[in-house]
Amino acid sequence: MTPSNNTLTFKKFIQYFWIAVSGKETEFTSGSIRKAIFMLSIPMILEMLMESIFALVDIAYVSKVSVNAVATIGLTESVITLVYALAIGLSMAATAVVARRIGEKDVQGARIAAVQAISLGILISIVIGVIGMIYAKEILALMGGEPDLIAEGYGYTQVMIGGNITVVLLFLINAIFRGAGNASIAMWTLVLSNGLNIILDPMFIFGFGPIPEFGVMGAAIATNIGRGTAVIFQLAVLFFGWGKIKLALQDLVLNFKVMVNLIKVSLGGIAQFLIGTSSWIFLMRIMSEFGSEVLAGYTIAIRVMMFTLMPSWGMSNAAATLVGQNLGAKQPDRAETSVWKTGKYNAIFMGTVSLIYLIFAKSIVSWFNTTPAVVQNGALCLQVIALGYVFYAYGMVVSQAFNGAGDTRTPTKINLVSFWFIQLPLAYVAALVLGWGAMGVFVAITFAEVLLAIIAMVWFKKGKWKQVQV
C-alpha cells in the first residue's frame, strides 16, 4: 500500500514547518516562491502571534485592576506608538538595506548597515526616554485623561516610555534578522520576550512574595524586563550566534555614509508611521470624549484585533524580505509575484477572521470585561472594523512590499491621504458633529483602511518600486 496524498502533504508540511522555525533555510531568491513565502511567513507569523498573545494576556490582567487602568494603557499606547513609528521606520530601512545587501551577496555591507541602525536606535531611544520619565503626567493630561486616571496610571506611562530602548532595539535587531532571512531568530526572540512577560505580568501587577503590588505600573515593569532580556539574547546572537550576520568588535565603527543612507530610507518609513500613529492619537482623543467605559471597550477591541493583525503583519514582513532580496538578486518579476501570492494567502486568513468577529464579537470582548457599556462598544468596534479585513490584508502586504524595496515614500503619501485627509475629518464629523458617537470613529477607520488598500494596489501595479536603489 502507498501512503495517501493527504498523508504526504501533511508530512511535507511538518517537514517545511520544522525547517522554517529552525532557520535552516535562508535562500529565497531561487526555487519555489510558495515555499519561500511559507519559510519566511511561518516564523514571522509565530513571532507576531507571540506579541499579540502577550497583548491579550496583558489587558486581561490589567482589566482586573480597574477600568481606569485599561484606559491608561489605551492612552499611553496611543502616545508610545510615536516611539514605535520611529523604531519601525528605522526597522524598515534596516530590513530593506540588509535584504538588498544579502541579495547582492554582500554580507560585509549587511554587517555595516546593522551596526549603524543599532547606533541610531540607541540615540533616539535615550532622548525619548528622558522626555517620558519627566513628563508622564502631562502626556496623559494632554491625551484627555481625567485626574483620577492620571493619578493611578502615570507610573505605567513613565516606565513604558522611559524604558522604550528595549522595544526600539527589539524591533530594530529583529528587522536586521528578517532582512538577512533569519526570521526564525526573530521569532525565538519574541518567544523569550513575551514568555517572560506573561509569567512576570501577574507577579508585578498583583504582587508575589517579596515583589510588591504595583497595579497597572507592574505591567510596564514586566514588559521592560521581558523585552530587555530578549535584547540581550539578540546581541548574543549577533556576536556569538548562528545568524547569517555575525558581528565582531572591529565592526563597531560608525560609518556616516551608510548611516546617512539609512536615515534617508527611514525618513519615509518614520513619516509613514508618524502619520498613521498621530491619526491614531487623535482618534483616541475623540474616543476619550465618550468616557472611560467607551474608551476601555475600544482599547480591548484594538488589543483583540492585534491578535489577528499581527500574524498578517508576519506575512507582510515576509513579502518585504522577499522583495528586498529578489531585487538585490536582479529578479524584480519574482519579487512582484511573491507580493501578490502573499496578499492572496493573507486575504484568505483575514476573511476567515472577519467572520468570527462578526458572529462572536460580544462574547470575545466579555472575556476581558463584563461591564455592559464596555462590551457593547468593544463588540461594535470589532464588527465594524472587521468589515474591511480582506482589504486590510492586501493593503498591509503591498505597503510592506514598497518598504522592502526601499520605496518608503509611496506608502507615506498613501497614508497621508487615507488617514489625515480622509479618516480624521470623517471621524470628527461623524462622531461629534453628526452625533454618531463611537460608531462614527469605527466607520471612519474602516473606510480609510479600505481606501488605503485600493490606492496601494493600483500604485504597486505601476512598478516604479522596481527601480529604487538603496
Side-chain angles (χ1 to χ4, degrees), residues 90-100 172 174-176 178-180 262 317 320-321 324 403-404:
L90 190 53
S91 296
M92 285 191 298
T95 296
V97 175
V98 169
R100 191 70 68 95
L172 194 51
N174 269 358
I176 292 167
R178 291 190 205 101
L262 276 168
N317 286 334
T321 298
N403 293 326

Side-chain angles (χ1 to χ4, degrees), residues 286-346:
I286 293 172
M287 291 296 295
S288 70
E289 293 291 321
F290 308 117
S292 290
E293 289 182 336
V294 174
L295 190 61
Y298 178 62
T299 301
I300 290 170
I302 295 301
R303 281 296 184 97
V304 170
M305 284 189 289
M306 290 290 282
F307 189 77
T308 47
L309 290 177
M310 284 295 187
S312 291
W313 271 114
M315 281 187 263
S316 302
N317 286 334
T321 298
L322 286 169
V323 167
Q325 289 198 6
N326 282 292
L327 286 180
K330 311 298 182 188
Q331 299 186 77
D333 291 342
R334 179 181 171 87
E336 183 174 2
T337 302
S338 300
V339 172
W340 291 120
K341 284 192 175 183
T342 306
K344 182 180 74 173
Y345 301 147
N346 200 16

Side-chain angles (χ1 to χ4, degrees), residues 137-420:
K137 290 183 179 179
E138 288 79 3
I139 289 170
L140 286 176
L142 185 65
M143 287 302 298
E146 297 168 359
D148 59 332
L149 182 150
I150 295 171
E152 181 179 349
Y154 82 93
Y156 175 88
T157 307
Q158 243 179 357
V159 175
M160 282 301 292
I161 301 180
N164 79 92
I165 190 169
T166 60
V167 72
V168 169
L169 291 183
L170 191 66
F171 278 24
L172 194 51
I173 301 175
N174 269 358
I176 292 167
F177 288 143
R178 291 190 205 101
N182 296 130
S184 66
I185 301 176
M187 177 198 73
W188 289 114
T189 298
L190 264 292
V191 169
L192 173 63
S193 169
N194 293 326
L196 278 174
N197 286 346
I198 290 169
I199 294 169
L200 295 176
D201 235 13
M203 297 169 66
F204 281 92
I205 292 172
F206 306 114
F208 182 81
I211 301 173
E213 180 180 339
F214 287 98
V216 66
M217 186 172 75
I221 295 171
T223 296
N224 277 323
I225 292 174
R227 286 174 174 166
T229 303
V231 169
I232 294 171
F233 170 75
Q234 288 176 319
L235 293 173
V237 172
L238 279 176
F239 283 94
F240 310 109
W242 63 92
K244 183 170 283 190
I245 296 178
K246 190 170 182 179
L247 301 179
L249 289 177
Q250 59 263 33
D251 294 317
L252 304 183
V253 178
L254 294 181
N255 184 315
F256 290 103
K257 181 179 179 181
V258 175
M259 191 175 285
V260 168
N261 183 45
L262 276 168
I263 293 172
K264 182 180 177 182
V265 176
S266 69
L267 284 177
I270 292 170
Q272 180 185 144
F273 275 86
L274 280 176
I275 290 167
T277 52
S278 60
S279 68
W280 198 258
I281 289 174
F282 284 114
L283 290 177
M284 189 64 79
R285 184 66 183 85
I286 293 172
M287 291 296 295
S288 70
E289 293 291 321
F290 308 117
S292 290
E293 289 182 336
V294 174
L295 190 61
Y298 178 62
T299 301
I300 290 170
I302 295 301
R303 281 296 184 97
V304 170
M305 284 189 289
M306 290 290 282
F307 189 77
T308 47
L309 290 177
M310 284 295 187
S312 291
W313 271 114
M315 281 187 263
S316 302
N317 286 334
T321 298
L322 286 169
V323 167
Q325 289 198 6
N326 282 292
L327 286 180
K330 311 298 182 188
Q331 299 186 77
D333 291 342
R334 179 181 171 87
E336 183 174 2
T337 302
S338 300
V339 172
W340 291 120
K341 284 192 175 183
T342 306
K344 182 180 74 173
Y345 301 147
N346 200 16
I348 293 170
F349 168 72
M350 292 287 279
T352 303
V353 171
S354 67
L355 292 176
I356 295 172
Y357 283 170
L358 289 170
I359 298 169
F360 301 109
K362 287 189 176 181
S363 298
I364 292 170
V365 176
S366 65
W367 292 343
F368 303 92
N369 193 292
T370 55
T371 305
V374 173
V375 173
Q376 180 182 349
N377 284 279
L380 184 63
C381 181
L382 278 180
Q383 290 170 327
V384 174
I385 295 180
L387 292 174
Y389 256 26
V390 172
F391 286 92
Y392 306 166
Y394 276 101
M396 284 188 288
V397 169
V398 173
S399 293
Q400 282 298 87
F402 282 122
N403 293 326
D407 180 12
T408 54
R409 292 185 179 182
T410 296
T412 302
K413 295 172 184 176
I414 296 172
N415 280 8
L416 185 66
V417 171
S418 300
F419 296 143
W420 280 14

Side-chain angles (χ1 to χ4, degrees), residues 18 22 48 61 81 180 207 213 322 364:
W18 174 247
S22 63
M48 296 301 177
Y61 284 132
T81 46
E213 180 180 339
L322 286 169
I364 292 170

